[in-house]
Amino acid sequence: MTENITSVGGGGRPDTGVSALKGRTGAGAPAETRGKTTIADGVVAKIAGMAAREVPGIYSLGGGMARAFGAMRERVPGGGGGGVARGVKVEVGERQAAVDLDVVVEYGVSIVDVAGAVRTNVISAVERMTGLEVVEVNIAVDDVHLPDEEEEAAPDEGRVR
């Protein structure tokens, strides 16, 4: 049995070495392995936030204070834009990501089932779009949205135009 071992830093062709982090390098390497891709935490947070909101039974993301500050921020010109990632915290490494979500669920849904569906959807979306391995998705249920809460808040919003 014969083994081909390429030593890095010495010998024949130095540009054909294989790096564990970057893959093959040099002119003979496939284009997709040349260079490094960096994904910002905010990108992963937006993907996770959108994926969590797609799950039936999720009313919104973010704790009470985060939702209140977010609603104020959206009304200030130039202050909005962070709504998708509200209630989402992520840690992104070179190959892995961890996601923490603060959610508000609809009254009457099974929180266990909704949490499982959120985990599945977030892991699937983040791994598919970024190529990162999602090691954990932690979910904190901060509130339950009651059907009559929305009706009470509506008259105050339309009072001044």
Side-chain angles (χ1 to χ4, degrees), residues 69-139:
F69 283 127
M72 259 191 292
R73 194 179 312 117
E74 288 173 3
R75 290 188 176 129
V76 175
V84 176
R86 182 183 325 134
V88 182
K89 296 178 190 127
V90 298
E91 291 181 33
V92 180
E94 287 185 20
R95 295 185 197 103
Q96 296 179 328
V99 180
D100 295 325
L101 299 168
D102 292 325
V103 301
V104 178
V105 297
E106 294 283 355
Y107 175 77
V109 300
S110 167
I111 293 174
V112 173
D113 292 343
V114 169
V118 167
R119 277 191 186 89
T120 301
N121 209 33
V122 168
I123 290 169
S124 174
V126 171
E127 288 184 348
R128 178 178 45 84
M129 294 179 71
T130 66
L132 296 169
E133 176 193 5
V134 178
V135 293
E136 64 183 13
V137 176
N138 298 312
I139 299 171

